[in-house]
Amino acid sequence: MDKKTRNNIYRRAKKIMIVSTIVFAMLVIRLFWIQIVKGQKYGLEAGKQYVREIRVAPARGNIFDRNNVQLTNNKTEKTIYIFRDAVSGDDETLEKIREAFDLSEKDIEIIKKSSNRIIEIPLSKEVEDNISIRGVTIEERKVRYDGNNLLSHVIGYIKKSENVGEYGIEKEYDSILKMNDSFGVKYVAVDGKQRVIPGLKDTEVISEKKTSSNSVKLTVDINIQKAVEKVLDYRKVNGAAIVTEVTTGDILAMASRPTLNQNDIGINFNSNNMDFYNKALEVAYPPGSIFKTVVMLAALEEDLISFNDTFVCEGYEDLGSFKIKCNNTEGHGEITAYEAFSKSCNSAFIQIGKKVGAKKIIDMAKRLGFGEKIQNILIESSGNLPKNDELLGPAIGNISIGQSNIEVTPIQVTNMMMIIANEGVKKDISIVDSIVTEEGGFVKKVMREKEERALSTKVSKQIKKVLEGVVDNGTAKNINMSSIGGAAGKTGSAENSKKITHAWFSGYFPSDKPKYVITVFIEEGGSGGKIAAPIFEEIAKSIYDIDLK
């Protein structure tokens, strides 16, 4: 082989080596790109062929009562998860699903028409866990609400599709309660025929951190809440009831009727009873004779009357342009201020109101929290107090008996009674105690306003005497509180613009050393003494029994 030929072979071999090296380098780079740079992405894409993701718990923190009783995420139900793409158009598999789980034709139609990637159907009866059907798995699913709808207007509800609080504590504390979407997810392995592979479905994202501050602790005592709701439901009434602890200002129970169906709020849409309003906070009503407490306090504060002062009731009071009837149309005759309060005499109170004057009455109402919001956590109405020209002339007649355009909320009435029970000291009323961990561990106390004096001790003690008189021998004498230490309070029968009369009773017990304030408001209830006061009695005695346990 001559030199020229050897050089040609060498050059060719060199070219082949260079090309081979470049090709090999390109293959190495490509493999590095696929396996290292894009490996995770391609792995996940491949994994999607045999791993399914299902949600077995809400991605939200818990809501607790004052004793760390869990009020949400506290119920599990056996649920079938159906992978839509695995059963879509497969009538044979759908029939197997129907027979195995005793589903209705309606359920099957829901599965067929659903646009959800995974369809969840709670099981109404027990089935075996080892059922193997294409595109189906069975899991214990933790549900947000247990279906009892206790405390529904306070807890509120969420928009499930977006895991966003829509109302109540769920809305106001959404930024704390909402967790990473990976929480509560379980990964299920399936074979080539989309059947679940036994033993390979045990990976669940349980929580982000057990110590993270993702939950809320309320001041509510769920046992007292149950007692309140039981009484309201037994009586079949609409309205609201509130229970507060005198020494702390804690709201121990708050109920509004009709209740909300937290799992299906669509049920409430067709109601005409303001289901979506928390009537303890969000709706203001005429107070009626409850407001006579304000008038009496203003008169005592100005030292304009004593309880022995007498008035004459002829069954009505003439205000010039109109007359206002007394609750006793035949007239009470000569009556003392003490008796006028306990018997809720309109005529005497209009006469007292004239002595005090409309402006001073409204000023006292403002000192007691009327016309403003009482708490700053949940949505609340400020109510309404007359002003300017609305205070002039014969308006004093309606103002003195809680009519006119005066509107108050049950929480405002509760606040007034709390001030009296605390002998003039105003406590900050609240329904949230603290931010806690998912397991109820303390993280941070919710700040409250400092207590302040709203009434003198002297006047507070005076008004307490006449409040006791209402229960002992006045408009609420039909209730018997002697077995639990007595009680004090005020009835109200308030007529609205449609001539519909609402029933009120707000008071406290025991009478000597008050522990609880209870306010009851019943829409279209009529007489406060006959309707609202007996409900107060039932609630108070239930609380007394709970305390004994």
Side-chain angles (χ1 to χ4, degrees), residues 258-322:
T259 192
L260 286 173
N261 188 317
Q262 294 165 290
N263 287 317
D264 185 7
I265 59 169
I267 290 174
N268 297 96
F269 283 153
N270 297 323
S271 170
N272 295 318
N273 294 311
M274 297 192 295
D275 298 26
F276 288 96
Y277 290 88
N278 183 345
K279 294 171 185 174
L281 301 173
E282 297 177 49
V283 187
Y285 302 89
S289 294
I290 285 277
F291 201 73
K292 288 172 182 171
T293 312
V294 178
V295 178
M296 180 63 86
L297 283 168
L300 292 171
E301 187 84 1
E302 295 294 324
D303 201 23
L304 293 172
I305 64 166
S306 72
F307 289 147
N308 292 322
D309 288 354
T310 59
F311 303 88
V312 176
C313 170
E314 297 178 346
Y316 66 92
E317 197 66 20
D318 192 341
L319 291 144
S321 56
F322 61 93

Side-chain angles (χ1 to χ4, degrees), residues 9-256:
I9 292 171
Y10 174 76
R11 282 197 297 273
R12 287 172 184 168
K14 187 176 180 180
K15 286 178 180 179
I16 290 170
M17 185 177 294
I18 292 169
V19 169
S20 298
T21 301
I22 292 171
V23 169
F24 180 75
M26 290 175 67
L27 286 171
V28 169
I29 292 169
R30 181 62 177 167
L31 286 170
F32 177 83
W33 177 261
I34 291 171
Q35 292 187 329
I36 306 301
V37 178
K38 292 289 186 178
Q40 186 176 11
K41 178 184 176 183
Y42 293 148
L44 288 172
E45 291 296 324
K48 287 181 180 179
Q49 304 300 315
Y50 62 88
V51 174
R52 296 302 182 102
E53 184 181 288
I54 61 174
R55 178 164 296 286
V56 294
R60 292 183 78 78
N62 295 318
I63 298 173
F64 295 92
D65 89 333
R66 69 191 292 109
N67 298 310
N68 273 12
V69 175
Q70 196 170 317
L71 306 178
T72 55
N73 299 348
N74 59 0
K75 178 187 175 183
T76 59
E77 58 185 17
K78 190 165 282 190
T79 302
I80 54 172
Y81 293 80
I82 302 168
F83 310 134
R84 184 171 57 83
D85 60 348
V87 302
S88 180
D90 188 342
D91 290 339
E92 183 179 344
T93 298
L94 288 172
E95 180 59 23
K96 286 181 181 178
I97 292 171
R98 189 188 69 77
E99 291 179 355
F101 301 110
D102 194 25
L103 301 184
S104 65
E105 291 295 340
K106 184 179 179 181
D107 290 328
I108 299 301
E109 281 302 309
I110 291 172
I111 296 170
K112 287 181 178 180
K113 294 178 180 179
S114 177
S115 59
N116 295 332
R117 189 172 58 87
I118 296 175
I119 302 146
E120 302 172 10
I121 300 179
L123 290 173
S124 57
K125 70 173 190 176
E126 285 295 318
V127 297
E128 295 185 15
D129 292 331
N130 60 357
I131 294 175
S132 180
I133 299 176
R134 170 186 170 86
V136 175
T137 186
I138 307 169
E139 296 290 340
E140 289 287 342
R141 181 179 60 135
K142 190 176 288 186
V143 295
R144 184 63 175 170
Y145 311 116
D146 61 14
N148 291 324
N149 299 317
L150 271 173
L151 201 63
S152 61
H153 284 88
V154 173
I155 294 172
Y157 52 85
I158 62 172
K159 188 175 183 179
K160 294 179 184 177
S161 61
E162 298 177 15
N163 187 29
V164 172
E166 292 253 288
Y167 182 69
I169 295 296
E170 293 279 29
K171 178 181 179 181
E172 304 307 325
Y173 283 85
D174 187 62
S175 60
I176 288 172
L177 293 167
K178 189 173 182 179
M179 300 167 69
N180 188 292
D181 283 341
S182 64
F183 170 79
V185 166
K186 199 167 195 176
Y187 298 99
V188 180
V190 296
D191 63 17
K193 293 184 178 181
Q194 298 298 308
R195 291 173 302 194
V196 174
I197 302 173
L200 295 180
K201 58 174 185 175
D202 298 324
T203 304
E204 179 183 346
V205 180
I206 296 173
S207 178
E208 296 162 324
K209 281 184 181 179
K210 289 288 184 182
T211 56
S212 63
S213 53
N214 57 19
S215 299
V216 177
K217 182 177 180 178
L218 305 180
T219 61
V220 170
D221 184 318
I222 200 59
N223 292 315
I224 294 177
Q225 181 72 27
K226 287 177 181 177
V228 169
E229 297 200 26
K230 183 179 179 181
V231 172
L232 294 178
D233 290 340
Y234 176 77
R235 293 274 182 162
K236 297 180 181 178
V237 292
N238 288 337
I242 305 171
V243 180
T244 52
E245 187 175 51
V246 170
T247 56
T248 63
D250 287 351
I251 295 173
L252 302 178
M254 178 179 285
S256 180

